[in-house]
Amino acid sequence: MLRSFRVSNHKSLADLQELRLTRGSAPVAVPVTAVHGGPAAGKSNLVDALGQMRGAVLRSVTGWDPYAGPERAPHLGHTGRLSEFEAVFIAEETPYTYGFRLDAADVAAEWLYSHPRSRKRIVFEREGEAVRVGPMFEAARSGITALIPLVRPNALLLSLAGQMYAEALVPAYRWFETMLEVLDGTGDIDSVELRVGSHLSRSTENAARLLTLLQTADLGITDLLIAQNDPGYADYLRDLDADIAALGEQTDRAAGSAAYAAQLQLDSGLTAAQLARELTNMRNARDALYTRMVARRGVGLRLVHTGVDPVFTLVEESSATVALLRLLPVLLDALDAGKVLVVDDLGTQLTVEEADRLIQLFQNPETNTRGAQLVYTTGDRALVDRGNGRSARTRAGVWTVRRSDAGTSTLTMS
């Protein structure tokens, strides 16, 4: 769950802006958060900021130029000011606050706090080259101390710790890696086809559900076809899918029953959190294997239409069909895993009715059983207003972005 996101000095978001995804004093997560604004108001910059933060956590060690400054995009009028990013989220049932500040040359500051039982505990605080490890985290055991001399001035400690598997920092790193997905831009045909093919190939249930949603869009599509698995990979994929299904059932039981989780740990030495990590690792391995397979033979995605004999390739489909197929596998994967999904311009190329149907998947407790969250931007007020008649529990939180004459964007709750 993502509780809040704060950013300053990223593109048009010059001053500190905060997006909250909870309501009430509890705080209770809102399943859907809408960000509305006019053209060039800064909606996409907010999504880009979340993507920038996630990318920094995952790529600053391996993807950033070690001889250049951090990758950042400050407001053009404030290039000398620090850029700041901070997220408050729940990973492996523990609340965390993680953030960092970047200047033109280095990581100026970085911090990670945990909040078990609403008590703030310092995991680490970094100011320049100085790193302080919190007293509750035995630094020698967790491996943080060993990593401090290895982190570059222009890279994040959390990025290095996640890749080196420093146990105290793994939950926060893995949240950015596996529980947050940011979808911006339009996506190319090849990547859309790959995501659809991977989703369809995992199970017949996945295929039936995606096809049902596609058919309700009234695009004339009656079936989806993908190429048979390469014989050289088929056995591996079949075994992986069976193991993933079994481990998924075990993970669900451990999450839903404290007694079962305790017995599991007694029998296997694995906690429920470790079991969930292993499930994610297996799903990632499956995706990597499928990607390697289709690199040789192609996905072979074809769409069958009512009353039309030849099947269509994705290149031959309408922009509305491509837009919907780009969204559906990502939305369904987020619902299945309880992810936070951030989508820029959700309604692009879709009717208001169809976009609203997708949003309802997150607002309906029967289709959103794992607490997934959707954050989307739109310039269409009609799409936002459709959520106002729903129950207080599932009604979307609505924010508005406005751009000033000085070229800065301000985020306010509607």
Side-chain angles (χ1 to χ4, degrees):
M1 177 174 71
L2 178 62
R3 287 181 169 174
S4 66
F5 171 65
R6 288 158 47 100
V7 59
S8 66
N9 201 25
H10 178 77
K11 297 188 175 180
S12 66
L13 303 165
D15 300 319
L16 184 63
Q17 306 296 323
E18 181 177 17
L19 176 70
R20 296 188 302 277
L21 286 77
T22 57
R23 63 163 55 98
S25 57
V28 178
V30 177
V32 175
T33 300
V35 180
H36 173 263
K43 305 183 300 294
S44 296
N45 292 341
L46 181 65
V47 173
D48 187 73
L50 270 161
Q52 172 79 10
M53 185 177 194
R54 180 179 185 270
V57 171
L58 301 186
R59 297 179 50 255
S60 69
V61 171
T62 58
W64 287 3
D65 186 342
Y67 301 104
E71 292 184 4
R72 69 181 194 130
H75 188 280
L76 294 179
H78 305 287
T79 55
R81 280 171 34 183
L82 297 175
S83 298
E84 179 174 331
F85 304 81
E86 183 181 82
V88 180
F89 56 92
I90 296 178
E92 298 185 3
E93 300 184 356
T94 299
Y96 286 91
T97 298
Y98 173 69
F100 52 85
R101 297 187 191 97
L102 307 176
D103 62 25
D106 299 317
V107 176
E110 185 182 5
W111 56 93
L112 177 64
Y113 307 126
S114 68
H115 307 272
R117 296 178 293 278
S118 300
R119 295 180 180 178
K120 177 180 174 180
R121 291 180 177 176
I122 298 171
V123 183
F124 73 84
E125 293 178 322
R126 174 185 179 188
E127 289 284 343
E129 296 183 2
V131 179
R132 174 195 174 199
V133 178
M136 301 299 295
F137 293 85
E138 304 163 26
R141 178 184 63 79
S142 65
I144 303 176
T145 299
L147 295 177
I148 291 172
L150 304 178
V151 67
R152 300 194 316 266
N154 70 338
L156 298 173
L157 178 57
L158 182 63
S159 182
L160 179 63
Q163 294 173 38
M164 299 297 289
Y165 215 85
E167 179 60 34
L169 307 189
V170 165
Y173 177 87
R174 287 179 66 89
W175 184 85
F176 282 98
E177 180 186 37
T178 66
M179 300 306 291
L180 174 64
E181 183 158 4
V182 180
L183 198 63
D184 55 9
T186 56
D188 60 89
I189 291 291
D190 289 341
S191 63
V192 172
E193 189 173 28
L194 175 62
R195 188 71 181 253
V196 172
S198 179
H199 186 84
L200 292 174
S201 70
R202 288 179 211 153
S203 68
T204 55
E205 291 81 3
N206 272 9
R209 182 177 54 168
L210 191 146
L211 181 59
T212 298
L213 290 169
L214 195 59
Q215 289 171 337
T216 60
D218 197 24
L219 296 168
I221 296 170
T222 59
D223 204 358
L224 292 170
L225 307 175
I226 56 172
Q228 291 288 331
N229 289 334
D230 186 328
Y233 289 84
D235 289 342
Y236 295 109
L237 284 169
R238 185 165 46 249
D239 291 345
L240 260 178
D241 287 336
D243 290 343
I244 289 170
L247 190 57
E249 291 178 5
Q250 197 175 22
T251 303
D252 287 343
R253 287 188 65 187
S257 169
Y260 180 81
Q263 188 61 47
L264 172 72
Q265 187 169 4
L266 189 63
D267 294 341
S268 65
L270 292 173
T271 65
Q274 289 171 327
L275 200 66
R277 290 181 192 177
E278 182 60 25
L279 178 60
T280 300
N281 291 340
M282 291 181 68
R283 285 172 172 164
N284 290 342
R286 203 269 183 204
D287 290 342
L289 189 63
Y290 182 82
T291 301
R292 189 182 306 169
M293 180 187 73
V294 300
R296 295 175 56 189
R297 300 184 56 172
V299 176
L301 178 65
R302 299 292 185 270
L303 296 94
V304 181
H305 286 256
T306 304
V308 181
D309 287 335
V311 293
F312 286 28
T313 66
L314 200 55
V315 174
E316 297 168 314
E317 288 291 345
S318 68
S319 57
T321 299
V322 174
L324 190 57
L325 282 173
R326 174 176 175 257
L327 285 170
L328 281 177
V330 183
L331 291 170
L332 294 173
D333 286 344
L335 290 165
D336 289 343
K339 292 183 180 182
V340 178
L341 175 61
V342 185
V343 181
D344 190 27
D345 254 341
L346 176 66
T348 300
Q349 305 295 338
L350 302 177
T351 65
V352 171
E353 290 74 19
E354 183 54 39
D356 188 54
R357 272 194 289 268
L358 299 181
I359 294 167
Q360 286 183 51
L361 294 173
F362 287 80
Q363 291 175 312
N364 186 345
E366 294 183 3
T367 52
N368 186 2
T369 60
R370 299 179 185 273
Q373 292 171 275
L374 172 66
V375 181
Y376 73 92
T377 69
T378 181
D380 191 344
R381 186 71 207 190
L383 181 60
V384 174
D385 290 341
R386 280 177 166 259
N388 291 341
R390 300 195 173 110
S391 70
R393 187 163 63 92
T394 62
R395 188 180 302 140
V398 180
W399 295 76
T400 300
V401 179
R402 293 182 175 86
R403 193 179 185 109
S404 72
D405 293 339
T408 62
S409 299
T410 302
L411 183 65
T412 57
M413 193 164 192
S414 299

